[in-house]
Short mmCIF file of all heavy atoms in Angstrom, two decimals:
data_model
loop_
_atom_site.label_atom_id
_atom_site.label_comp_id
_atom_site.label_asym_id
_atom_site.label_seq_id
_atom_site.Cartn_x
_atom_site.Cartn_y
_atom_site.Cartn_z
N VAL A 14 63.33 84.69 14.72
CA VAL A 14 64.03 84.78 16.06
C VAL A 14 63.13 84.47 17.20
O VAL A 14 63.61 83.82 18.15
CB VAL A 14 64.52 86.23 16.07
CG1 VAL A 14 65.17 86.43 17.48
CG2 VAL A 14 65.63 86.49 15.06
N ARG A 15 61.84 84.88 17.14
CA ARG A 15 60.95 84.42 18.23
C ARG A 15 60.84 82.99 18.26
O ARG A 15 60.72 82.39 19.33
CB ARG A 15 59.62 85.08 17.93
CG ARG A 15 58.49 84.59 18.97
CD ARG A 15 57.10 84.81 18.37
NE ARG A 15 56.95 83.89 17.14
CZ ARG A 15 56.20 84.33 16.12
NH1 ARG A 15 55.48 85.39 16.08
NH2 ARG A 15 56.19 83.47 15.01
N ASP A 16 60.72 82.29 17.13
CA ASP A 16 60.59 80.87 17.00
C ASP A 16 61.77 80.13 17.64
O ASP A 16 61.76 79.22 18.39
CB ASP A 16 60.33 80.39 15.54
CG ASP A 16 59.07 80.87 14.98
OD1 ASP A 16 58.18 81.42 15.74
OD2 ASP A 16 58.84 80.68 13.77
N LEU A 17 63.04 80.70 17.39
CA LEU A 17 64.21 80.15 17.91
C LEU A 17 64.17 80.26 19.47
O LEU A 17 64.65 79.32 20.09
CB LEU A 17 65.42 80.88 17.32
CG LEU A 17 65.91 80.56 15.86
CD1 LEU A 17 66.74 81.62 15.28
CD2 LEU A 17 66.57 79.17 15.71
N ASP A 18 63.75 81.42 19.79
CA ASP A 18 63.68 81.59 21.32
C ASP A 18 62.65 80.59 21.99
O ASP A 18 63.04 80.10 23.11
CB ASP A 18 63.16 83.02 21.68
CG ASP A 18 64.21 84.12 21.54
OD1 ASP A 18 65.52 83.73 21.61
OD2 ASP A 18 64.02 85.30 21.26
N ILE A 19 61.63 80.36 21.40
CA ILE A 19 60.63 79.39 21.84
C ILE A 19 61.16 78.03 22.03
O ILE A 19 61.10 77.39 23.07
CB ILE A 19 59.31 79.31 20.98
CG1 ILE A 19 58.58 80.61 21.19
CG2 ILE A 19 58.48 78.18 21.37
CD1 ILE A 19 57.34 80.78 20.20
N ILE A 20 61.81 77.50 20.94
CA ILE A 20 62.39 76.15 21.00
C ILE A 20 63.52 76.05 21.96
O ILE A 20 63.63 75.06 22.80
CB ILE A 20 62.76 75.74 19.58
CG1 ILE A 20 61.55 75.56 18.76
CG2 ILE A 20 63.62 74.49 19.62
CD1 ILE A 20 61.75 75.06 17.33
N SER A 21 64.36 77.09 21.97
CA SER A 21 65.50 77.07 22.90
C SER A 21 65.03 76.99 24.31
O SER A 21 65.54 76.31 25.19
CB SER A 21 66.35 78.40 22.60
OG SER A 21 67.32 78.48 23.62
N GLN A 22 64.05 77.85 24.60
CA GLN A 22 63.46 77.93 25.99
C GLN A 22 62.90 76.60 26.43
O GLN A 22 63.07 76.06 27.55
CB GLN A 22 62.50 79.04 26.10
CG GLN A 22 61.90 79.11 27.59
CD GLN A 22 61.07 80.31 27.73
OE1 GLN A 22 61.16 81.31 27.02
NE2 GLN A 22 60.12 80.24 28.73
N GLU A 23 61.99 76.00 25.52
CA GLU A 23 61.46 74.70 25.87
C GLU A 23 62.46 73.60 26.16
O GLU A 23 62.28 72.79 27.05
CB GLU A 23 60.42 74.35 24.71
CG GLU A 23 59.26 75.27 24.57
CD GLU A 23 58.50 75.49 25.82
OE1 GLU A 23 58.39 74.66 26.69
OE2 GLU A 23 57.92 76.67 26.00
N LEU A 24 63.48 73.53 25.30
CA LEU A 24 64.50 72.51 25.52
C LEU A 24 65.28 72.81 26.83
O LEU A 24 65.55 71.81 27.47
CB LEU A 24 65.43 72.36 24.27
CG LEU A 24 64.73 72.08 22.93
CD1 LEU A 24 65.88 71.92 21.91
CD2 LEU A 24 63.93 70.88 22.93
N ARG A 25 65.52 74.00 27.04
CA ARG A 25 66.36 74.30 28.31
C ARG A 25 65.46 73.97 29.56
O ARG A 25 65.94 73.49 30.52
CB ARG A 25 66.82 75.75 28.25
CG ARG A 25 68.01 75.96 27.32
CD ARG A 25 68.53 77.47 27.50
NE ARG A 25 67.66 78.38 27.04
CZ ARG A 25 66.87 79.14 27.87
NH1 ARG A 25 66.97 79.03 29.28
NH2 ARG A 25 66.12 80.18 27.38
N LEU A 26 64.17 74.46 29.48
CA LEU A 26 63.31 74.18 30.57
C LEU A 26 63.20 72.67 30.96
O LEU A 26 63.21 72.27 32.16
CB LEU A 26 61.88 74.83 30.37
CG LEU A 26 61.83 76.33 30.37
CD1 LEU A 26 60.48 76.78 30.02
CD2 LEU A 26 62.18 76.77 31.80
N LYS A 27 63.11 71.87 29.89
CA LYS A 27 63.09 70.46 30.14
C LYS A 27 64.33 69.86 30.63
O LYS A 27 64.33 68.99 31.55
CB LYS A 27 62.63 69.76 28.74
CG LYS A 27 62.02 68.33 29.10
CD LYS A 27 60.70 68.46 29.79
CE LYS A 27 60.10 67.16 29.99
NZ LYS A 27 58.75 67.25 30.74
N ASP A 28 65.48 70.41 30.22
CA ASP A 28 66.75 70.05 30.62
C ASP A 28 66.98 70.36 32.17
O ASP A 28 67.59 69.58 32.86
CB ASP A 28 67.85 70.62 29.76
CG ASP A 28 68.19 69.66 28.61
OD1 ASP A 28 67.63 68.60 28.42
OD2 ASP A 28 68.98 70.10 27.75
N ILE A 29 66.36 71.55 32.42
CA ILE A 29 66.52 71.98 33.93
C ILE A 29 65.76 70.98 34.72
O ILE A 29 66.20 70.53 35.80
CB ILE A 29 65.92 73.40 34.05
CG1 ILE A 29 66.96 74.39 33.42
CG2 ILE A 29 65.76 73.66 35.54
CD1 ILE A 29 66.33 75.84 33.38
N GLU A 30 64.55 70.57 34.30
CA GLU A 30 63.82 69.53 34.95
C GLU A 30 64.58 68.22 35.16
O GLU A 30 64.67 67.63 36.14
CB GLU A 30 62.42 69.29 34.28
CG GLU A 30 61.56 68.21 34.91
CD GLU A 30 60.34 68.05 34.03
OE1 GLU A 30 59.81 68.96 33.43
OE2 GLU A 30 59.86 66.80 34.01
N PHE A 31 65.18 67.78 34.05
CA PHE A 31 65.95 66.47 34.04
C PHE A 31 67.08 66.67 35.14
O PHE A 31 67.34 65.65 35.72
CB PHE A 31 66.54 66.19 32.60
CG PHE A 31 65.48 65.80 31.66
CD1 PHE A 31 65.68 66.14 30.31
CD2 PHE A 31 64.35 65.08 31.99
CE1 PHE A 31 64.88 65.84 29.33
CE2 PHE A 31 63.45 64.66 30.97
CZ PHE A 31 63.68 65.10 29.66
N SER A 32 67.78 67.79 34.96
CA SER A 32 68.90 68.00 35.80
C SER A 32 68.57 68.05 37.26
O SER A 32 69.34 67.65 38.10
CB SER A 32 69.58 69.25 35.43
OG SER A 32 70.02 69.26 34.03
N GLU A 33 67.41 68.77 37.61
CA GLU A 33 67.06 68.91 39.03
C GLU A 33 66.70 67.51 39.59
O GLU A 33 67.00 67.19 40.78
CB GLU A 33 65.98 69.87 39.14
CG GLU A 33 66.35 71.26 39.00
CD GLU A 33 65.14 72.34 38.98
OE1 GLU A 33 63.98 71.82 38.79
OE2 GLU A 33 65.43 73.50 39.11
N LYS A 34 66.11 66.65 38.78
CA LYS A 34 65.87 65.34 39.18
C LYS A 34 67.13 64.45 39.40
O LYS A 34 67.23 63.71 40.38
CB LYS A 34 64.93 64.49 38.12
CG LYS A 34 63.54 64.99 38.21
CD LYS A 34 62.70 64.27 37.14
CE LYS A 34 61.21 64.73 37.22
NZ LYS A 34 60.40 64.13 36.02
N ALA A 35 68.09 64.65 38.56
CA ALA A 35 69.42 63.98 38.65
C ALA A 35 70.13 64.44 39.92
O ALA A 35 70.81 63.75 40.67
CB ALA A 35 70.29 64.21 37.41
N LEU A 36 70.08 65.83 40.13
CA LEU A 36 70.70 66.51 41.33
C LEU A 36 70.11 65.83 42.70
O LEU A 36 70.80 65.41 43.56
CB LEU A 36 70.50 67.92 41.25
CG LEU A 36 71.16 68.71 42.42
CD1 LEU A 36 72.76 68.55 42.39
CD2 LEU A 36 70.80 70.17 42.36
N GLU A 37 68.74 65.71 42.61
CA GLU A 37 68.07 65.09 43.86
C GLU A 37 68.55 63.63 44.08
O GLU A 37 68.79 63.21 45.18
CB GLU A 37 66.53 65.18 43.52
CG GLU A 37 65.76 64.71 44.73
CD GLU A 37 64.33 64.93 44.47
OE1 GLU A 37 63.84 65.73 43.70
OE2 GLU A 37 63.49 64.08 44.99
N ALA A 38 68.67 62.85 42.96
CA ALA A 38 69.15 61.48 43.06
C ALA A 38 70.48 61.40 43.59
O ALA A 38 70.83 60.59 44.52
CB ALA A 38 68.95 60.70 41.78
N ALA A 39 71.33 62.23 43.10
CA ALA A 39 72.77 62.13 43.56
C ALA A 39 72.81 62.64 44.97
O ALA A 39 73.74 62.20 45.78
CB ALA A 39 73.71 63.14 42.70
N GLU A 40 72.03 63.67 45.37
CA GLU A 40 72.11 64.18 46.74
C GLU A 40 71.80 63.13 47.75
O GLU A 40 72.30 63.22 48.90
CB GLU A 40 71.13 65.40 46.87
CG GLU A 40 71.36 66.31 48.04
CD GLU A 40 70.53 67.58 47.98
OE1 GLU A 40 69.51 67.56 47.22
OE2 GLU A 40 70.81 68.46 48.81
N LYS A 41 70.88 62.30 47.47
CA LYS A 41 70.28 61.18 48.37
C LYS A 41 71.50 60.38 48.68
O LYS A 41 71.74 59.99 49.90
CB LYS A 41 69.19 60.46 47.72
CG LYS A 41 67.94 61.04 47.76
CD LYS A 41 66.89 60.16 47.13
CE LYS A 41 65.41 60.95 47.06
NZ LYS A 41 64.46 60.10 46.42
N ILE A 42 72.37 59.99 47.74
CA ILE A 42 73.50 59.14 48.07
C ILE A 42 74.58 59.99 48.78
O ILE A 42 75.17 59.45 49.79
CB ILE A 42 74.08 58.52 46.77
CG1 ILE A 42 73.02 57.70 46.03
CG2 ILE A 42 75.30 57.81 46.89
CD1 ILE A 42 73.31 57.14 44.70
N ALA A 43 74.82 61.12 48.37
CA ALA A 43 75.84 61.94 49.00
C ALA A 43 75.64 62.28 50.45
O ALA A 43 76.58 62.35 51.32
CB ALA A 43 76.02 63.34 48.22
N LYS A 44 74.39 62.30 50.88
CA LYS A 44 74.03 62.57 52.22
C LYS A 44 74.26 61.49 53.18
O LYS A 44 74.19 61.62 54.38
CB LYS A 44 72.45 62.99 52.28
CG LYS A 44 72.13 64.39 51.86
CD LYS A 44 70.62 64.69 52.13
CE LYS A 44 70.42 66.12 51.80
NZ LYS A 44 68.88 66.43 51.90
N ARG A 45 74.58 60.23 52.56
CA ARG A 45 74.94 59.14 53.46
C ARG A 45 76.12 59.39 54.30
O ARG A 45 76.33 58.85 55.32
CB ARG A 45 75.06 57.93 52.64
CG ARG A 45 73.88 57.35 51.91
CD ARG A 45 74.22 56.14 51.00
NE ARG A 45 73.13 55.79 50.21
CZ ARG A 45 73.25 54.97 49.10
NH1 ARG A 45 74.50 54.39 48.83
NH2 ARG A 45 72.21 54.56 48.43
N GLY A 46 77.00 60.32 53.71
CA GLY A 46 78.19 60.63 54.36
C GLY A 46 79.35 59.43 54.19
O GLY A 46 79.12 58.61 53.46
N GLY A 47 80.46 59.75 54.92
CA GLY A 47 81.47 58.70 54.89
C GLY A 47 82.41 59.12 53.74
O GLY A 47 82.32 60.14 52.99
N GLN A 48 83.41 58.15 53.56
CA GLN A 48 84.44 58.44 52.58
C GLN A 48 84.50 57.49 51.43
O GLN A 48 85.51 57.23 50.79
CB GLN A 48 85.79 58.45 53.32
CG GLN A 48 86.04 59.36 54.39
CD GLN A 48 85.91 60.84 53.89
OE1 GLN A 48 86.52 61.14 52.90
NE2 GLN A 48 85.21 61.70 54.60
N SER A 49 83.35 56.78 51.22
CA SER A 49 83.27 55.83 50.08
C SER A 49 83.46 56.44 48.74
O SER A 49 83.12 57.67 48.55
CB SER A 49 81.93 55.06 50.16
OG SER A 49 80.96 55.94 49.73
N LEU A 50 83.92 55.70 47.76
CA LEU A 50 84.10 56.21 46.47
C LEU A 50 82.81 56.72 45.82
O LEU A 50 82.81 57.74 45.21
CB LEU A 50 84.77 55.12 45.58
CG LEU A 50 85.05 55.49 44.12
CD1 LEU A 50 86.14 56.72 44.09
CD2 LEU A 50 85.70 54.35 43.33
N GLU A 51 81.84 55.98 46.04
CA GLU A 51 80.44 56.37 45.53
C GLU A 51 80.02 57.72 46.02
O GLU A 51 79.50 58.58 45.22
CB GLU A 51 79.41 55.27 45.85
CG GLU A 51 78.02 55.57 45.21
CD GLU A 51 77.03 54.59 45.58
OE1 GLU A 51 77.10 53.92 46.63
OE2 GLU A 51 76.03 54.47 44.82
N VAL A 52 80.22 57.93 47.42
CA VAL A 52 79.82 59.23 47.97
C VAL A 52 80.62 60.35 47.27
O VAL A 52 80.09 61.40 47.00
CB VAL A 52 79.94 59.19 49.49
CG1 VAL A 52 79.82 60.65 50.13
CG2 VAL A 52 78.87 58.16 50.19
N LYS A 53 81.95 60.17 47.19
CA LYS A 53 82.76 61.12 46.65
C LYS A 53 82.39 61.43 45.19
O LYS A 53 82.22 62.62 44.73
CB LYS A 53 84.19 60.59 46.65
CG LYS A 53 85.25 61.60 46.13
CD LYS A 53 86.66 61.11 46.12
CE LYS A 53 87.61 62.11 45.42
NZ LYS A 53 89.07 61.57 45.47
N GLN A 54 82.06 60.43 44.42
CA GLN A 54 81.70 60.57 43.07
C GLN A 54 80.37 61.35 42.93
O GLN A 54 80.22 62.30 42.18
CB GLN A 54 81.52 59.35 42.40
CG GLN A 54 82.88 58.57 41.99
CD GLN A 54 82.62 57.15 41.49
OE1 GLN A 54 81.58 56.53 41.69
NE2 GLN A 54 83.66 56.69 40.85
N LYS A 55 79.39 61.07 43.84
CA LYS A 55 78.18 61.72 43.80
C LYS A 55 78.29 63.26 44.18
O LYS A 55 77.55 64.08 43.72
CB LYS A 55 77.08 61.08 44.81
CG LYS A 55 76.62 59.71 44.18
CD LYS A 55 75.95 59.77 42.73
CE LYS A 55 75.66 58.45 42.19
NZ LYS A 55 75.15 58.61 40.82
N LYS A 56 79.23 63.52 45.12
CA LYS A 56 79.37 64.99 45.42
C LYS A 56 80.05 65.71 44.22
O LYS A 56 79.60 66.87 43.98
CB LYS A 56 80.36 64.97 46.64
CG LYS A 56 79.68 64.58 48.02
CD LYS A 56 80.65 64.81 49.19
CE LYS A 56 79.97 64.41 50.55
NZ LYS A 56 80.97 64.48 51.66
N GLU A 57 80.89 65.14 43.50
CA GLU A 57 81.46 65.74 42.35
C GLU A 57 80.24 65.88 41.26
O GLU A 57 80.30 66.89 40.56
CB GLU A 57 82.59 64.92 41.74
CG GLU A 57 83.84 64.87 42.63
CD GLU A 57 84.92 63.92 42.08
OE1 GLU A 57 84.67 63.21 41.22
OE2 GLU A 57 86.03 63.99 42.72
N GLU A 58 79.54 64.86 41.17
CA GLU A 58 78.42 64.88 40.20
C GLU A 58 77.47 66.00 40.50
O GLU A 58 76.97 66.77 39.62
CB GLU A 58 77.63 63.61 40.25
CG GLU A 58 77.03 63.19 39.04
CD GLU A 58 76.41 61.73 39.10
OE1 GLU A 58 77.17 60.87 38.95
OE2 GLU A 58 75.16 61.59 39.30
N MET A 59 77.26 66.20 41.86
CA MET A 59 76.23 67.29 42.30
C MET A 59 76.88 68.70 41.75
O MET A 59 76.14 69.52 41.36
CB MET A 59 76.05 67.24 43.78
CG MET A 59 75.13 66.20 44.31
SD MET A 59 75.19 66.06 46.05
CE MET A 59 74.54 67.76 46.48
N ALA A 60 78.15 68.83 41.96
CA ALA A 60 78.78 70.11 41.60
C ALA A 60 78.60 70.32 40.07
O ALA A 60 78.30 71.52 39.66
CB ALA A 60 80.18 70.16 42.01
#
């Protein structure tokens, strides 16, 4: 059970890192503002 916890935590921590980088990339485009389809998509992606 401890071993399961270790692997679960390491995979989740790495996924949090991946996700935070993806969020940052989407946020840069969303901050441009406007009503373009790309901006709308990135706002949905951020959520």
Side-chain angles (χ1 to χ4, degrees):
V14 171
R15 176 205 58 210
D16 296 351
L17 285 163
D18 282 335
I19 289 173
I20 291 182
S21 173
Q22 180 173 334
E23 296 304 328
L24 299 187
R25 285 188 295 101
L26 287 173
K27 202 64 182 179
D28 274 355
I29 290 170
E30 181 185 320
F31 292 146
S32 300
E33 288 175 341
K34 288 179 180 177
L36 183 62
E37 188 178 328
E40 193 173 17
K41 284 181 181 178
I42 296 173
K44 279 183 176 179
R45 295 175 188 169
Q48 299 299 316
S49 72
L50 181 60
E51 185 183 22
V52 169
K53 182 183 176 183
Q54 287 175 337
K55 289 303 175 183
K56 286 182 178 178
E57 292 175 354
E58 206 172 283
M59 285 174 60

